[in-house]
Amino acid sequence: MPAHVLQYSTAAAQLRPPRCAAPLLVTVDPYGSDTWRLDPIIALLREGALGIIPTDSFPALVCDVDARQAVERLYAAKDMAPTKQLSIMCRSFADVAEYTLGFPAPQPGRPDAFRLARQALPGPYTLILHASKRLPKQCVDYLTGKAKQRRTVGVRLPGDPICQAVLAGLERPLLCSSVHVEAGVGALELPEAAVMLDMFEPRGIDFVVDAGVTVAEGSTIIDLTGRDPELLRAGKGDAGVFLPDPVYA
């Protein structure tokens, strides 16, 4: 582990919520039949916890959108560059409207991005939109606390029932960053809860939600901040939903 991450991990452990002397592992049905088991996770998130939950793409390291110390711990836990931007995981289009400047206005001869988003979401997409002032400032240096306002943000409305239950219970969006566990050359990633717990416990996480082993793939990333939609990464979601055929081809 890099020295600066080890240094911050010690401090991060001291910032854990009172009930998090050790990470909590909660096992749930992937189809959402026992979401009541998530109540302790939701309570911890309200107290500023940092943990891993399943999504409809890769699992995600998450914290409450307004929990500043947890955001700093997230950067340290993933050893992310200070300029790396976190995505925001929303409950609904109402959250998207609050934390972004919305979808681009329809233009003659171009698809209506909002209409397409309503058709595609919830689903395995990350949409890049202009950020509103409501979005918390991005951490620039998690050791000094210096920050600046974000101009854009990746927005997710996941279709995973466990993820949706956590968001609904918290009643606020989550800041998130995907968790990767390589399964081998040329293979999709197969994240397991025990592996993620071993990886991130030394870095100060507070919980892992285990919904079983699933074949995972990254979300499809579409930039909607320019003149035309731009495909930044092809993933699980069908990029053709947002891109005209000639562009996508």
Side-chain angles (χ1 to χ4, degrees), residues 26-152:
V26 173
T27 301
V28 295
D29 172 50
Y31 300 103
S33 66
D34 55 358
T35 54
W36 56 268
R37 296 182 185 275
L38 296 169
D39 289 350
I41 300 301
I42 294 166
L44 287 173
L45 284 168
R46 287 177 178 152
E47 295 172 8
L50 172 69
I52 297 172
I53 64 173
T55 77
D56 53 4
S57 57
F58 291 133
L61 194 63
V62 300
C63 66
D64 184 342
V65 68
D66 291 321
R68 175 60 182 272
Q69 288 184 337
V71 176
E72 294 171 359
R73 294 169 60 208
L74 196 162
Y75 271 88
K78 285 213 49 185
D79 189 23
M80 290 192 298
T83 55
K84 177 72 172 178
Q85 294 189 347
L86 300 175
S87 295
I88 184 170
M89 197 177 291
C90 297
R91 299 166 295 170
S92 66
F93 283 94
D95 284 341
V96 177
E98 181 174 2
Y99 290 92
T100 77
L101 298 182
F103 292 87
Q107 300 293 328
R110 294 188 177 88
D112 185 335
F114 177 67
R115 180 180 60 82
L116 296 177
R118 289 294 297 264
Q119 294 174 354
L121 301 176
Y125 297 89
T126 300
L127 304 181
I128 309 300
L129 296 170
H130 291 290
S132 73
K133 292 183 179 180
R134 179 70 180 87
L135 188 73
K137 293 180 179 180
Q138 176 190 358
C139 294
V140 174
D141 184 336
Y142 47 69
L143 294 179
T144 66
K146 293 181 181 179
K148 67 178 181 180
Q149 188 65 44
R150 296 270 298 273
R151 293 185 177 182
T152 63

Side-chain angles (χ1 to χ4, degrees), residues 197-216:
L197 188 62
D198 288 343
M199 286 177 59
F200 286 95
E201 180 176 6
R203 300 189 178 202
I205 67 166
D206 304 310
F207 65 83
V208 175
V209 176
D210 180 10
V213 177
T214 58
V215 176

Side-chain angles (χ1 to χ4, degrees), residues 141-223:
D141 184 336
Y142 47 69
L143 294 179
T144 66
K146 293 181 181 179
K148 67 178 181 180
Q149 188 65 44
R150 296 270 298 273
R151 293 185 177 182
T152 63
V153 61
V155 174
R156 291 227 54 208
L157 273 79
D160 180 82
I162 306 305
C163 185
Q164 290 180 341
V166 172
L167 287 164
L170 183 63
E171 299 181 330
R172 283 193 299 277
L174 293 164
L175 286 176
C176 64
S177 179
S178 60
V179 174
H180 301 264
V181 180
E182 294 296 338
V185 177
L188 295 177
E189 300 184 4
L190 302 166
E192 298 183 19
V195 173
M196 292 186 289
L197 188 62
D198 288 343
M199 286 177 59
F200 286 95
E201 180 176 6
R203 300 189 178 202
I205 67 166
D206 304 310
F207 65 83
V208 175
V209 176
D210 180 10
V213 177
T214 58
V215 176
E217 187 178 0
S219 63
T220 291
I221 304 178
I222 306 290
D223 188 344

